[in-house]
Amino acid sequence: MQRSDSEQPSKRPRCDGSPRTPPNTPAGTDRPPVLELHPDHRTWGPEQVCSYLEHCGFSKPGLLKNFRDNKITGLLLPFLDESLLENLGVSSLGERKKLLNYIQRLSQTHIETMKVINDPIHGHIELHPLLMRIIDTPQFQRLRYIKQLGGGYYVFPGASHNRFEHSLGVGYLAGCLVRELCEKQPELQISERDVLCVQIAGLCHDLGHGPFSHMFDGRFIPLARPEVKWTHEQGSVQMFEYLVNSNGLRAIMERYGLIPEEDICFIKEQIAGPLESPVKDFSWPYKGRPKEKSFLYEIVANKRNGIDVDKWDYFARDCHHLGIQNNFDYKRFLKFARVCEVDNRKHICTREKEVGNLYDMFHTRNCLHRRAYQHKVGNIIDTMITDAFLKADPYIEIIGAEGKKYHISTAIDDMEAFTKLTDNIFLEILHSTDPKLDAAREVLKNVEYRNLYKYVGETQPGKRKIRKEDYEHLPKEVADSKPKDMVLEAEMKAEDFIVDVINMDYGMEDKNPIDHVRFYCKSDPRRAIMITRNQVSQLLPERFAEQLIRVYCKKKDGKSLFAAKQHFVQWCAANDFTKPQDGDIVAPLITPRKPEWNYSPAHPPEASRSRVQLFKDDSTVHKDESMLLEDDLM
């Protein structure tokens, strides 16, 4: 990442976080003495502002009283002009100019302590010095070596971006949204502490990702340690705690106005949700902030409806690197975001006219999953890398705390060891000369040579969804589904098949996420309303979740691949799954045996029956069918 700083290298903020002397200020000029105040004037309350005024020589009791009565905080200082200062009691023109000069220098000091990073997605973004202290640690720098899309990079050459830049983007967008709410609705009493904590949560939300991102916690860990229910969000919370403690950041956090005992808990809760099981009959499960600030938990990882800054960044960033059009404009959402009260809680709402755009947002998410995240080749590469890691796991040693040794699968138990675990483990196995790693190395060589497991086909289950506990039995079911009255030249076994079950949804399983969004109208922006799907359009989806089943074959010879496809189509027919799209081509002797799979597109069986029920008169039915045929020919 390229940093574009207006300041020279010698002007880097001091490590203690204190503001330096403004540049080009000759010694002996009229300037306020150094104060023991927070280095960021935006955190000052009215009392700190009055203390600053006194040290600048503005000590008249009436003036200080006016500043206190009008609740002039450090955040408001840059907005004061000569007329406002006159109203506040600074009567002399010379005194007003002198005070404005001091305020201007304060703002310059703030600007110089911020770092500016040139991001390809969001442009030049400002990052608070505390965020930079977090970024410049081994635990955060580790994200440079974890690909955002895992095996997807082997399919999309442009998808070379890492979790590092995504995390910077989420931290930035989290600050954008919380500041937008703060400026629009001062009555929310969003403090600078709140802003900083929300930014830190956005920055650190992905610290817990393992090698190849979702492949690690979605495929590898469930197979390597099925007894452990581990997610990368849990890893992020553990890694954040380790990052703070091992780099002595608690004192730095205090210096920037945070209260570690409360704020570290708040940051963790934003990433992973409530840290403890909710107490029965206790309505508010969070400890970091009271329920009056419940909306703050909807910015980084929105458990309520899934609309959060994490998605906004990966939509824009992934589309940019994949070469796919992004149709969602998060900047428009920022403009219309507003906090309203719903069921005695405060939630982030948007204008009622934006409901269509939100459906488009979730449609964009679904399209990204179909076209990229669940790409059939990318998924099989993830599966092969997982196979290699499983074979290598017993023989890989990673040194953790106190010299204890861990494996790939157990490194999640020790953050010192986990810090050393990145995508680089792929190359360590590939270039190893250890004979114990021969099997794993062979799989990774096949990935490098593009000698991949072969794609057999895709189908969807009928009304009955396949349960997670049944996944492991599916390869045997396919192997046992040998078609009758067919002679196959290859014998297929369960270990020859990989069955990949993919759950596609709008982020909330089979629920419509928009049902959990509230809107407001221009006529009454304080009142939240619900908008149902039928109020928006008749063309919106009726279902919000589906399963895809993909089957792959580890054998690559022609005879085995032909036999695998016959087994697969027969398995689909026996289980009332949808007919594979190429079923009539790859298994022409099997598909005719399934009556439900054989009908003209213009006359599906259900449609024919419904017409007969609606129109008892045969002539009407024939007339209706002839019109359909004419429509097809047009």
Side-chain angles (χ1 to χ4, degrees):
M1 301 291 288
Q2 179 186 354
R3 291 182 186 170
S4 176
D5 269 321
S6 57
E7 57 193 6
Q8 298 299 317
S10 61
K11 296 179 184 176
R12 183 176 178 86
R14 284 153 48 182
C15 292
D16 63 357
S18 60
R20 60 177 163 274
T21 305
N24 304 321
T25 306
T29 58
D30 189 16
R31 53 186 288 268
V34 178
L35 303 176
E36 289 299 324
L37 289 172
H38 191 280
D40 187 351
H41 70 274
R42 297 178 306 167
T43 65
W44 296 352
E47 288 302 322
Q48 286 77 25
V49 169
C50 289
S51 176
Y52 180 76
L53 291 176
E54 286 185 283
H55 280 79
C56 292
F58 297 89
S59 56
K60 292 180 180 178
L63 172 65
L64 299 177
K65 183 177 185 300
N66 289 339
F67 269 75
R68 289 189 180 97
D69 291 347
N70 287 278
K71 296 180 179 178
I72 304 299
T73 65
L75 200 61
L76 297 176
L77 284 177
F79 299 100
L80 299 179
D81 56 22
E82 281 195 33
S83 62
L84 289 172
L85 287 177
E86 186 175 9
N87 293 336
L88 287 168
V90 187
S91 54
S92 163
L93 176 63
E95 291 292 293
R96 290 198 295 271
K97 289 188 178 296
K98 180 180 176 183
L99 182 52
L100 284 174
N101 184 37
Y102 289 151
I103 292 172
Q104 186 179 10
R105 290 179 188 177
L106 273 179
S107 299
Q108 288 173 348
T109 302
H110 165 67
I111 291 170
E112 288 160 9
T113 58
M114 302 293 279
K115 296 300 292 183
V116 180
I117 291 179
N118 187 7
D119 179 66
I121 306 304
H122 307 301
H124 290 82
I125 62 179
E126 276 191 348
L127 293 174
H128 189 281
L130 179 56
L131 301 187
M132 294 307 304
R133 292 297 297 265
I134 292 170
I135 290 167
D136 295 336
T137 62
Q139 294 76 23
F140 195 91
Q141 293 293 318
R142 165 183 178 271
L143 297 179
R144 289 183 184 272
Y145 313 109
I146 297 176
K147 286 283 182 291
Q148 174 82 3
L149 300 185
Y153 179 45
Y154 287 87
V155 179
F156 296 90
S160 59
H161 56 305
N162 303 310
R163 289 280 157 186
F164 178 83
E165 49 262 46
H166 166 62
S167 296
L168 296 183
V170 176
Y172 164 72
L173 290 180
C176 289
L177 180 50
V178 72
R179 287 196 188 283
E180 191 78 28
L181 297 174
C182 179
E183 291 171 14
K184 241 185 282 187
Q185 297 177 264
E187 69 274 12
L188 296 174
Q189 297 185 344
I190 299 172
S191 67
E192 199 61 32
R193 264 181 69 201
D194 295 333
V195 172
L196 206 45
C197 288
V198 170
Q199 287 181 295
I200 293 170
L203 191 71
C204 298
H205 79 288
D206 271 350
L207 284 177
H209 267 295
F212 295 89
S213 290
H214 288 290
M215 182 220 81
F216 187 78
D217 65 330
R219 294 180 185 272
F220 173 72
I221 290 295
L223 292 172
R225 299 180 67 181
E227 76 286 355
V228 175
K229 305 301 178 188
W230 186 85
T231 65
H232 76 270
E233 289 89 356
Q234 290 173 262
S236 295
V237 165
Q238 293 171 308
M239 186 64 84
F240 177 68
E241 179 78 28
Y242 176 61
L243 182 154
V244 170
N245 293 336
S246 62
N247 294 284
L249 290 188
R250 285 178 183 264
I252 307 297
M253 294 169 87
E254 287 179 348
R255 194 171 295 145
Y256 284 104
L258 299 191
I259 303 173
E261 293 73 21
E262 295 176 11
D263 293 335
I264 288 175
C265 174
F266 176 42
I267 292 163
K268 290 177 180 179
E269 288 175 335
Q270 290 179 79
I271 295 170
L275 301 179
E276 299 174 3
S277 300
V279 179
K280 192 176 181 181
D281 300 327
F282 189 71
S283 59
W284 184 242
Y286 295 99
K287 293 185 176 180
R289 290 295 184 273
K291 71 175 183 177
E292 288 75 25
K293 292 191 174 182
S294 55
F295 59 91
L296 293 176
Y297 289 97
E298 298 177 359
I299 294 174
V300 173
N302 192 339
K303 306 291 190 291
R304 179 176 167 83
N305 53 44
I307 301 172
D308 51 47
V309 296
D310 179 25
K311 286 185 182 60
W312 300 354
D313 185 83
Y314 78 66
F315 282 175
R317 197 172 301 278
D318 292 353
C319 284
H320 172 81
H321 288 280
L322 290 165
I324 295 175
Q325 183 70 35
N326 175 27
N327 296 319
F328 180 71
D329 182 6
Y330 72 83
K331 292 180 182 177
R332 184 174 174 85
F333 187 96
L334 283 175
K335 294 298 179 187
F336 291 107
R338 184 177 181 82
V339 173
C340 300
E341 192 157 318
V342 183
D343 299 329
N344 204 30
R345 298 272 175 87
K346 289 184 171 68
H347 295 291
I348 298 175
C349 306
T350 188
R351 273 286 297 277
E352 86 289 352
K353 64 179 181 177
E354 295 304 299
V355 62
N357 292 333
L358 292 186
Y359 274 104
D360 288 344
M361 186 194 92
F362 285 103
H363 179 69
T364 297
R365 178 186 182 276
N366 191 50
C367 288
L368 277 170
H369 273 272
R370 284 187 169 277
R371 295 178 63 182
Y373 306 152
Q374 305 298 343
H375 192 285
K376 63 183 182 182
V377 179
N379 277 12
I380 202 57
I381 288 173
D382 275 344
T383 301
M384 292 180 72
I385 295 172
T386 299
D387 282 353
F389 283 9
L390 289 169
K391 294 177 189 298
D393 191 38
Y395 313 111
I396 295 291
E397 291 185 346
I398 305 168
I399 306 299
E402 299 178 356
K404 188 176 178 182
K405 295 178 181 178
Y406 294 87
H407 302 299
I408 301 173
S409 61
T410 57
I412 59 175
D413 299 329
D414 181 273
M415 289 300 106
E416 185 173 327
F418 196 48
T419 302
K420 302 172 184 176
L421 186 60
T422 66
D423 290 2
N424 292 341
I425 196 71
F426 181 105
L427 295 177
E428 286 183 31
I429 296 169
L430 184 67
H431 300 311
S432 170
T433 56
D434 188 343
K436 294 176 182 176
L437 295 175
D438 284 349
R441 188 163 49 248
E442 195 60 36
V443 176
L444 296 185
K445 279 184 179 178
N446 283 333
V447 172
E448 292 252 303
Y449 283 104
R450 207 73 173 183
N451 188 20
L452 309 177
Y453 301 152
K454 297 299 181 182
Y455 174 72
V456 174
E458 179 180 297
T459 185
Q460 295 182 44
K463 296 179 181 178
R464 183 179 62 88
K465 186 179 177 181
I466 297 177
R467 298 175 303 172
K468 208 162 192 174
E469 53 266 32
D470 296 331
Y471 289 2
E472 60 182 303
H473 307 301
L474 297 179
K476 186 177 186 307
E477 287 184 16
V478 179
D480 291 343
S481 298
K482 184 176 181 180
K484 296 178 181 178
D485 308 324
M486 282 188 70
V487 178
L488 300 176
E489 297 183 50
E491 191 72 26
M492 305 304 295
K493 298 178 181 177
E495 54 264 33
D496 298 327
F497 290 102
I498 293 171
V499 182
D500 197 17
V501 181
I502 302 160
N503 292 293
M504 305 281 285
D505 55 48
Y506 270 30
M508 296 185 69
E509 297 182 346
D510 58 348
K511 297 181 181 68
N512 178 3
I514 308 300
D515 288 342
H516 299 268
V517 180
R518 293 298 179 268
F519 302 86
Y520 67 89
C521 299
K522 187 177 181 180
S523 56
D524 188 357
R526 292 173 299 176
R527 183 184 172 194
I529 61 171
M530 180 179 177
I531 299 177
T532 64
R533 181 176 58 85
N534 292 334
Q535 290 176 275
V536 182
S537 172
Q538 300 300 313
L539 301 178
L540 294 172
E542 294 187 3
R543 296 177 62 187
F544 297 89
E546 64 179 357
Q547 274 189 332
L548 302 180
I549 305 171
R550 290 183 185 146
V551 174
Y552 301 86
C553 181
K554 291 185 178 181
K555 291 182 176 178
K556 297 155 192 171
D557 61 284
K559 291 179 180 179
S560 295
L561 197 55
F562 176 81
K565 291 180 178 180
Q566 309 312 304
H567 278 252
F568 169 63
V569 176
Q570 179 63 40
W571 180 61
C572 294
N575 287 279
D576 289 327
F577 294 165
T578 59
K579 181 168 73 171
Q581 292 179 353
D582 60 350
D584 291 333
I585 306 300
V586 301
L589 300 179
I590 299 175
T591 53
R593 300 176 186 176
K594 184 83 171 170
E596 294 88 343
W597 284 0
N598 298 281
Y599 56 80
S600 168
H603 307 289
E606 295 81 0
S608 298
R609 284 196 295 271
S610 63
R611 282 200 301 274
V612 172
Q613 290 171 354
L614 285 169
F615 304 107
K616 299 297 183 182
D617 186 352
D618 286 344
S619 63
T620 307
V621 175
H622 293 316
K623 181 180 178 182
D624 184 50
E625 290 178 347
S626 65
M627 289 175 66
L628 282 170
L629 288 171
E630 288 174 10
D631 289 341
D632 291 338
L633 293 170
M634 289 176 70

